[in-house]
Amino acid sequence: MDKEYIRVTFEELGVVACRANNKRKMKSPIFDKLRLEMIPVFYEKWGYVFRSATDPKKYYSMEQLQELFQNYVENIQ
């Protein structure tokens, strides 16, 4: 299976979805899984940002989240 079609939950990655305008945690996000090709859409179109689940002050850029996703997928295969 191709890496870009693998879906990973936010919880598995250790991230929390937040709104870009106020950086508050989304109580019930519409989506709870990520695909590599959809990460830019979350950031650019839907206005999400992602932060660490263990450190609420650490936010991930789109590139950092893509790298985190790729590293996670490589480790599970």
Side-chain angles (χ1 to χ4, degrees), residues 50-53 55-60 64:
F50 292 90
R51 66 173 169 88
S52 171
D55 183 8
K57 295 185 179 186
K58 180 179 181 180
Y59 287 87
Y60 294 106
Q64 289 173 323

Side-chain angles (χ1 to χ4, degrees), residues 23-39:
K23 298 203 175 172
R24 290 188 180 179
K25 178 181 174 182
M26 297 179 82
K27 292 182 181 178
S28 55
I30 296 171
F31 301 97
D32 66 343
K33 294 181 182 177
L34 288 173
R35 282 192 351 223
L36 183 59
E37 64 184 18
M38 291 300 292
I39 291 173

Side-chain angles (χ1 to χ4, degrees), residues 6-15 32-34 69 72:
I6 295 176
R7 291 185 176 107
V8 180
T9 65
F10 298 161
E11 188 176 308
E12 290 173 332
L13 280 179
V15 298
D32 66 343
K33 294 181 182 177
L34 288 173
F69 183 93
Y72 180 81

